[in-house]
Amino acid sequence: QKEVEQNSGPLSVPEGAIASLNCTYSDRGSQSFFWYRQYSGKSPELIMSIYSNGDKEDGRFTAQLNKASQYVSLLIRDSQPSDSATYLCAVAGGTSYGKLTFGQGTILTVHP
Amino acid sequence: DTAVSQTPKYLVTQMGNDKSIKCEQNLGHDTMYWYKQDSKKFLKIMFSYNNKELIINETVPNRFSPKSPDKAHLNLHINSLELGDSAVYFCASTPALGGAFFGQGTRLTVV
């Protein structure tokens, strides 16, 4: 089982739609959860962090965490072509102190 | 002011050579990382340092040797480069609580 697994892509949505990205993790003791966006040829950029169960909203982005199900998601409302990128889920804490583990990424394309 | 800076940005070298990548952060973070991103874009952790001490070594070949002279710097030296070492290498730093900030990456090509 992969430590952090993201829903397989690529994901394509029309402009203005909601994009839903999902991630599961294996270490039940994990404490910190992050979403990164990476444009082609660029470095990963932190867009959301979440630490407790429930929803966290920041502009058009909403992160959702369910520790019982070991599941974290990212919703992007009113998707824009500029949101087209690879989205990376990352998990920290748990049994491996000092380890920030990434999922394999989901490529999102928002078409006009 | 670049928060996490890596040099060089591009590195092209022949098999068997030795090369170094430098990383510096001015964020005051205690923890720094090296990640390798392969052609499929998977970010794999290589090393993690906390306040100059190695805390994670993810079964990386001995040809890779990180060095942290102080908590603001984490360099990566690679001996006897192989074709399979070609990738983008990212340095990152993180505060005690929060996400990591990445450098711009070093694209290493071994020919």
Side-chain angles (χ1 to χ4, degrees), chain A residues 1-52:
Chain A
Q1 181 186 8
K2 291 181 181 175
E3 294 180 74
V4 181
E5 193 155 4
Q6 297 184 231
N7 54 323
S8 58
L11 179 65
S12 180
V13 300
E15 185 174 355
I18 295 175
S20 177
L21 303 158
N22 303 315
C23 174
T24 57
Y25 58 95
S26 60
D27 187 339
R28 186 169 286 279
S30 299
Q31 299 170 348
S32 305
F33 308 86
F34 308 97
W35 283 99
Y36 286 80
R37 176 177 61 199
Q38 186 176 23
Y39 293 115
S40 181
K42 301 294 186 183
S43 57
E45 173 194 9
L46 179 66
I47 55 172
M48 288 290 285
S49 56
I50 187 166
Y51 306 100
S52 54

Side-chain angles (χ1 to χ4, degrees), chain A residues 74-86:
Chain A
L74 180 71
L75 299 177
I76 306 174
R77 291 183 301 282
D78 188 24
S79 295
Q80 301 297 309
S82 58
D83 294 327
S84 298
T86 298

